[in-house]
Amino acid sequence: MLMLTAIIGISTIIVFTSFSEAQLEQKTFVTHSGQIIKTSGDVLDPLYTASTVEFDPMRYLREFNYGRVSQLSDGTILREFTIIAEDNKIQEISPGVFYNVWTFNGTVPGPTIRVTEGDVVRINFINNGSKSHTIHFHGIHQAEMDGVFEPVGPSGGQFTYEFIAGPVGVHPYHCHVMPLEEHIVHGLYGVFIVDPKEARPQADEMVMVLNGFDTDFDTENNFYAANTIPFYYQHHPIQISTGELIRIYVVNMVEFDPINNFHLHGNLYQYYPTGTSLVPSTFTDMITLSQTERGIMEFQYTYPGKYLFHAHKVEFSEKGWVGLFLVQETKESSGE
Ligand SMILES: [Cu+2]
């Protein structure tokens, strides 16, 4: 017994010592983009880099998935999607900071699913994870399609969600297996857009999911972002044109912090909460969003230049939730 106690004691010291040194030492890592970096940051599970997730926030920004389209005998449009859940991937959230992401179709957020009101939406869901997962869509549908009481088992479990798309607007979808917070914060969420039958006016359209990452598991976020990678759009400004209508579908998926917000510089936007009305409720440069609260913003810039957009909760913007629009003069207005 004494021997056993001694062994446990010694091994605890060894484990604890190596952990403490990891926090202080500058370590060298090869990032997923091939850069060699040194960091003393929290580096979690760097051994998993073989399955590191690649994510391109600029591509995600304007990528809409309309599904495989066919027509039913009564003329209704059927849109089919395949969504695969996994929970074994690692993503470099910030240089040198690796985090175990749980993904729909390999990314956080999952694919933006876009349909028209009244379409039949069929989601072929496959769970290739190691835990049970589901997809819970916000919107109007039958109870058995709600993704709450039918956990889909790991290692290839399947479920087909089917419902009629509605109401018009921008909605989140996310896993709804308990503990819910754990399944959401690891990344099992995405955006579901239901277009009105008469399409909204032509615009340069974008999706922004406001999210955060608790990389040290203390139920406080260490990083915040619009579309997963902190500071990404600050380093890679989003290029838009003067006089062009910009439409942003914004969804707040930040956990732990009760509110988030969205401030736009040098401009104001028309805001449609949840996107369910075609008439904006307010003209502002600042909205406040609680968990899964979302809406549609519309604006256009008169003057060219660089304009910030960011959380006005300064802590969030200093930890990554900040970006830039680079507004360039359209050829028409510059007379070229
Ligand atoms: Cu889950």
Side-chain angles (χ1 to χ4, degrees), residues 85 87 102 104 125 127 131-135 152 174-180 182-184 188:
D87 49 33
W102 300 2
F104 286 134
F125 177 56
N127 180 10
K131 303 163 182 66
S132 289
H133 298 298
T134 63
I135 308 181
V152 182
H174 58 85
C175 178
H176 212 298
V177 168
M178 300 294 169
L180 184 56
E182 184 184 17
H183 286 245
I184 291 179
L188 286 173

Coordinates of all heavy atoms in Angstrom, one line a residue, residues 85 87 102 104 125 127 131-135 152 174-180 182-184 188, ligand 1:
A85 N -21.2 14.6 -38.9 CA -20.7 15.1 -37.6 C -19.4 14.3 -37.3 O -19.4 13.1 -37.5 CB -21.6 15.0 -36.5
D87 N -16.0 14.4 -34.2 CA -15.5 15.1 -33.0 C -14.1 14.8 -32.6 O -13.7 15.0 -31.5 CB -16.5 14.8 -31.8 CG -16.7 13.3 -31.6 OD1 -15.8 12.5 -31.9 OD2 -17.9 13.0 -31.2
W102 N -15.4 20.0 -32.8 CA -16.4 19.1 -33.2 C -17.1 19.7 -34.4 O -17.5 20.9 -34.3 CB -17.4 18.8 -32.1 CG -16.8 18.2 -30.8 CD1 -15.4 18.0 -30.6 CD2 -17.5 17.8 -29.6 NE1 -15.3 17.5 -29.4 CE2 -16.5 17.4 -28.7 CE3 -18.8 17.8 -29.2 CZ2 -16.8 16.9 -27.5 CZ3 -19.1 17.3 -28.0 CH2 -18.1 16.9 -27.1
F104 N -19.5 19.9 -38.2 CA -20.5 19.4 -39.2 C -19.8 19.6 -40.5 O -19.4 20.8 -40.9 CB -21.7 20.3 -39.1 CG -22.7 20.0 -38.0 CD1 -23.2 21.0 -37.2 CD2 -23.0 18.6 -37.6 CE1 -24.1 20.7 -36.1 CE2 -23.8 18.4 -36.6 CZ -24.4 19.4 -35.8
F125 N -28.4 12.9 -42.1 CA -27.4 13.2 -41.1 C -26.6 11.9 -40.7 O -27.2 10.8 -40.5 CB -28.0 13.7 -39.8 CG -27.1 13.9 -38.6 CD1 -26.0 14.7 -38.8 CD2 -27.4 13.3 -37.4 CE1 -25.1 14.9 -37.7 CE2 -26.5 13.5 -36.3 CZ -25.4 14.3 -36.5
N127 N -23.6 10.4 -38.2 CA -22.7 10.8 -37.0 C -21.5 9.9 -37.1 O -21.5 8.7 -36.6 CB -23.5 10.6 -35.7 CG -22.6 10.9 -34.5 OD1 -21.5 11.4 -34.7 ND2 -23.1 10.6 -33.3
K131 N -19.2 10.3 -29.9 CA -20.3 10.6 -29.0 C -21.6 10.7 -29.8 O -21.6 10.9 -31.0 CB -20.1 11.9 -28.2 CG -18.8 11.9 -27.5 CD -18.4 13.3 -27.1 CE -17.0 13.4 -26.4 NZ -15.9 13.0 -27.3
S132 N -22.7 10.6 -29.1 CA -24.0 10.9 -29.8 C -24.1 12.3 -30.2 O -23.7 13.2 -29.4 CB -25.2 10.5 -28.8 OG -25.2 9.1 -28.7
H133 N -24.7 12.6 -31.3 CA -25.0 14.0 -31.8 C -26.3 14.0 -32.5 O -26.9 13.0 -32.9 CB -23.9 14.5 -32.7 CG -22.5 14.5 -32.1 ND1 -22.2 15.3 -31.0 CD2 -21.4 13.9 -32.4 CE1 -20.9 15.1 -30.7 NE2 -20.4 14.3 -31.5
T134 N -26.8 15.2 -32.7 CA -28.0 15.5 -33.4 C -27.9 16.8 -34.2 O -26.9 17.5 -34.1 CB -29.3 15.6 -32.6 OG1 -29.1 16.8 -31.7 CG2 -29.5 14.4 -31.7
I135 N -28.9 17.1 -35.0 CA -29.0 18.4 -35.5 C -30.4 19.0 -35.1 O -31.4 18.4 -35.5 CB -28.9 18.5 -37.1 CG1 -27.6 17.8 -37.6 CG2 -28.9 20.0 -37.5 CD1 -27.5 17.9 -39.1
V152 N -28.5 10.5 -32.1 CA -28.0 9.7 -33.2 C -26.6 9.1 -32.7 O -25.7 9.9 -32.4 CB -27.8 10.5 -34.5 CG1 -27.4 9.6 -35.6 CG2 -29.2 11.1 -34.8
H174 N -27.9 23.5 -34.6 CA -26.8 23.0 -33.7 C -27.1 21.7 -33.2 O -28.3 21.2 -33.2 CB -26.5 24.0 -32.6 CG -27.7 24.4 -31.7 ND1 -28.0 23.6 -30.6 CD2 -28.6 25.4 -31.8 CE1 -29.1 24.1 -30.1 NE2 -29.5 25.2 -30.7
C175 N -26.1 21.0 -32.7 CA -26.3 19.7 -32.0 C -27.1 20.0 -30.7 O -26.9 21.0 -30.0 CB -25.0 19.1 -31.7 SG -25.1 17.5 -30.7
H176 N -28.0 19.1 -30.3 CA -28.8 19.3 -29.1 C -28.6 18.1 -28.1 O -29.6 17.8 -27.4 CB -30.2 19.6 -29.4 CG -30.9 20.5 -28.4 ND1 -31.0 20.2 -27.1 CD2 -31.4 21.7 -28.6 CE1 -31.6 21.2 -26.5 NE2 -31.9 22.2 -27.4
V177 N -27.5 17.5 -28.1 CA -27.2 16.4 -27.1 C -26.6 17.0 -25.8 O -25.9 18.0 -25.9 CB -26.3 15.3 -27.7 CG1 -25.8 14.4 -26.7 CG2 -27.0 14.6 -28.9
M178 N -27.0 16.4 -24.7 CA -26.5 16.9 -23.4 C -25.1 16.3 -23.1 O -24.9 15.2 -23.5 CB -27.5 16.5 -22.3 CG -28.9 17.1 -22.4 SD -28.8 18.9 -22.3 CE -30.5 19.2 -22.8
P179 N -24.3 17.1 -22.4 CA -24.4 18.4 -22.0 C -24.3 19.4 -23.2 O -23.3 19.4 -23.8 CB -23.3 18.7 -21.0 CG -22.3 17.6 -21.3 CD -23.0 16.5 -21.9
L180 N -25.4 20.1 -23.4 CA -25.6 20.9 -24.6 C -24.5 21.9 -24.7 O -23.9 22.1 -25.8 CB -26.9 21.7 -24.4 CG -27.4 22.5 -25.6 CD1 -27.4 21.7 -26.9 CD2 -28.7 23.1 -25.3
E182 N -21.4 21.8 -23.9 CA -20.2 21.1 -24.4 C -20.3 20.9 -25.9 O -19.3 21.1 -26.6 CB -20.0 19.8 -23.6 CG -18.7 19.1 -24.0 CD -18.5 17.8 -23.3 OE1 -19.5 17.2 -22.8 OE2 -17.4 17.3 -23.3
H183 N -21.5 20.4 -26.3 CA -21.6 20.1 -27.7 C -21.6 21.3 -28.6 O -21.2 21.3 -29.8 CB -22.8 19.2 -28.0 CG -22.7 17.8 -27.5 ND1 -22.7 16.7 -28.3 CD2 -22.5 17.4 -26.2 CE1 -22.5 15.6 -27.6 NE2 -22.4 16.0 -26.3
I184 N -22.1 22.4 -28.1 CA -22.1 23.7 -28.9 C -20.8 24.4 -28.9 O -20.2 24.7 -29.9 CB -23.2 24.7 -28.3 CG1 -24.6 24.1 -28.6 CG2 -23.1 26.0 -29.0 CD1 -25.8 25.0 -28.1
L188 N -20.4 22.5 -32.9 CA -21.4 21.8 -33.7 C -22.6 22.8 -33.9 O -23.6 22.7 -33.3 CB -21.9 20.5 -33.0 CG -20.9 19.4 -33.1 CD1 -21.3 18.2 -32.3 CD2 -20.7 18.9 -34.6
Ligands
CU1 CU -23.3 16.7 -30.1

